[in-house]
Every structure is written in C-alpha cells, then in structure tokens.
Amino acid sequence: MKVEDYFERLDFPMIEISKELRRIVRSFSTELKEEIKWGVPTYSLKKNICSIMAHKNHVNFQLMQGAHLKDALELEGTGKDMRHMKFSSLGEIEEEKIKSYLKQAVKQDQ
C-alpha cells in the first residue's frame, strides 16, 4: 500500500486531520523517510520517529520514543516507549507543539 492510498480511504474529518499531521511532519524535515509500517504512515531516520494512525472518531499522532521526551506527561499512553497525541478535529492540532516533540525525537535518533 502507498501512503497516499492510506489517506484516501479515510472518512471526513479523519482524512483532513491525518493530512494536516502529514503536512507538519513533512514540513519539519525532508530527511524523514515516509512509508507504511504496521498498516499506517510511519516516518523514520535511523529508527522509527512517529506515525499517524486514524481511528473511527480520532487520529493518533504516535511518537515511538515519546515516553523519553521532555513533557512526556502531556502525551497519552502507558507503554514502555510509545506515547501519542489524540486529535478529533483540526482545531486541536498545535503545530509548534508537534514540531517541538519531533525535534526532540529526531535528536534522540542521532
């Protein structure tokens, strides 16, 4: 499956939320490799950095090492490493906050 195919099968408003998250990730760094892993768009350098997972009523922006980032308590999840941000509308997305997490995640990956 191509990344574009993943987005095109989503219903509104999940498609617009997912595409906005993709735009933010891609505008953050052209070095991040975009591919489908575990059935969802995933972005990586040496290791996996983040992914976008659409659900019926929300979209999760998953940070693979989110538990180890500054302000990790603001993120949802209880696993050893992964944490996520949950979005039900475009208005909930804070681009600068996402980019701050991405910056930390990329720095950890180097």
Side-chain angles (χ1 to χ4, degrees):
M1 174 191 310
K2 293 181 182 178
V3 173
E4 289 77 15
D5 296 336
Y6 177 85
F7 292 110
E8 294 308 318
R9 67 184 177 99
L10 301 177
D11 293 326
F12 181 85
M14 300 320 124
I15 188 170
E16 69 175 3
I17 296 167
S18 297
K19 283 186 171 184
E20 176 63 5
L21 292 170
R22 180 189 195 199
R23 182 198 66 76
I24 292 168
V25 172
R26 293 176 79 184
S27 71
F28 174 76
S29 173
T30 56
E31 295 179 26
L32 288 171
K33 182 178 180 183
E34 178 184 64
E35 59 191 322
I36 296 290
K37 292 184 181 180
W38 308 286
V40 300
T42 303
Y43 302 84
S44 60
L45 289 171
K46 293 175 187 169
K47 297 180 181 175
N48 298 315
I49 301 294
C50 63
S51 64
I52 299 168
M53 180 180 282
H55 296 270
K56 184 176 179 178
N57 296 310
H58 68 275
V59 177
N60 282 352
F61 180 71
Q62 302 178 142
L63 292 152
M64 303 311 188
Q65 296 296 314
H68 310 288
L69 303 179
K70 181 181 155 214
D71 302 325
L73 295 176
E74 292 182 15
L75 300 170
E76 295 185 40
T78 58
K80 179 182 170 193
D81 297 314
M82 188 184 299
R83 295 288 185 274
H84 67 275
M85 302 169 82
K86 187 184 293 187
F87 302 103
S88 299
S89 71
L90 271 180
E92 297 174 349
I93 296 173
E94 296 179 50
E95 184 168 347
E96 292 309 311
K97 184 176 276 192
I98 291 170
K99 286 184 175 182
S100 172
Y101 284 126
L102 286 171
K103 184 176 181 180
Q104 292 178 61
V106 166
K107 189 174 182 178
Q108 281 187 356
D109 190 60
Q110 296 175 350

